[in-house]
Amino acid sequence: MGLIVVVALLAMLSTSLAVSTTAATTALLSGFTWSDCGDANATFHVHSLDVTSPLTIPGEVKVSVVASLTSQLPSDTVLTFRIYTNSSFGPTYARLLPCIGNQGSCAYKLCDLLTLTDQSSSVTRQLVTALGGGGLDLTQCPPGASNVTLSDVTITIPDMLQSPIDSFINTNNYFVTATLLSPDGHQKYGCVQMDMPVHKTCLGWLCPKSIDYVIKLMEQK
């Protein structure tokens, strides 16, 4: 499950979740919480997990995970996300974030996320490197049986200004379910649920670097 946890963070951070541009009207959660939602015989299991709270964008997040992968996953394993956030109507009305441009509540081929390319984001590179250093067998994909331990690994989160949906990112609470599945969804290899407050300290045009972004946009017109 450690892999699911870190890749779930990857999906949230490197793909820039789409949320309301309106300031959050509900209070942020007091801290990060998680649970292993996999079956007792699941291939992946998390034994402990800690993530900096609130998760700040831009900024740094520290991740600590102890997890185990008992056997190699099938080559066609899919990682799916269901991501909810509080709406402006309050926490009772959490809404599902759609999958837009391969970002948000989407399904991904696991190996596509773990295989670094020239197009891989800086966050992706940091996370995959940390996983390899933490004991995950990345000599093959999907990974083989591994025990994963990450202790206070620091991941730097960029300001997201280059993302086409940066204007949709805002301070809010996120409720994430990440599941490893067979392509037809009939077999579940592991699952983790995470509730986390996210605080965006750099909002759109107020960002210190945004003037450079504006100039770049004007030059393209």
Side-chain angles (χ1 to χ4, degrees), residues 124-143:
T124 302
R125 294 180 181 281
Q126 293 175 76
L127 290 169
V128 173
T129 299
L131 284 170
L136 186 68
D137 179 11
L138 293 178
T139 61
Q140 54 188 335
C141 198

Side-chain angles (χ1 to χ4, degrees), residues 8 17 29-30 40 47 51 57 60 66 92-93 96 101 109 126 128-129 151 157 162 164 186 190 217:
L17 295 179
L29 297 170
S30 60
H47 308 293
V51 176
I57 303 175
E60 294 184 342
V66 176
T92 305
Y93 300 93
L96 178 70
K109 292 181 180 179
Q126 293 175 76
V128 173
T129 299
S151 181
I157 307 170
Q162 300 305 314
H186 292 164
L217 288 178

Side-chain angles (χ1 to χ4, degrees), residues 41-189:
N41 60 349
T43 306
F44 255 144
H45 279 291
V46 168
H47 308 293
S48 67
L49 171 63
D50 186 47
V51 176
T52 303
S53 180
L55 191 152
T56 301
I57 303 175
E60 294 184 342
V61 57
K62 289 187 178 294
V63 180
S64 296
V65 179
V66 176
S68 58
L69 171 61
T70 58
S71 62
Q72 185 176 23
L73 294 165
S75 60
D76 57 358
T77 297
V78 174
L79 177 59
T80 66
F81 293 96
R82 299 284 288 179
I83 306 170
Y84 290 85
T85 184
N86 289 146
S87 73
S88 57
F89 297 103
T92 305
Y93 300 93
R95 58 196 177 96
L96 178 70
L97 300 183
C99 179
I100 301 176
N102 207 33
Q103 301 173 4
S105 296
C106 305
Y108 306 90
K109 292 181 180 179
L110 181 62
C111 285
D112 287 350
L113 292 177
L114 292 177
T115 303
L116 294 179
T117 68
D118 292 340
Q119 286 71 46
S120 298
S121 71
S122 63
V123 175
T124 302
R125 294 180 181 281
Q126 293 175 76
L127 290 169
V128 173
T129 299
L131 284 170
L136 186 68
D137 179 11
L138 293 178
T139 61
Q140 54 188 335
C141 198
S146 310
N147 291 313
V148 180
T149 301
L150 302 181
S151 181
D152 282 337
V153 172
T154 299
I155 303 298
T156 301
I157 307 170
D159 57 22
M160 305 287 191
L161 282 177
Q162 300 305 314
S163 169
I165 58 172
D166 173 72
S167 60
F168 291 94
I169 303 170
N170 205 349
T171 296
N172 214 325
N173 297 314
Y174 294 85
F175 312 96
V176 182
T177 300
T179 310
L180 285 175
L181 296 166
S182 59
D184 59 12
H186 292 164
Q187 290 183 285
K188 184 166 71 172
Y189 308 121

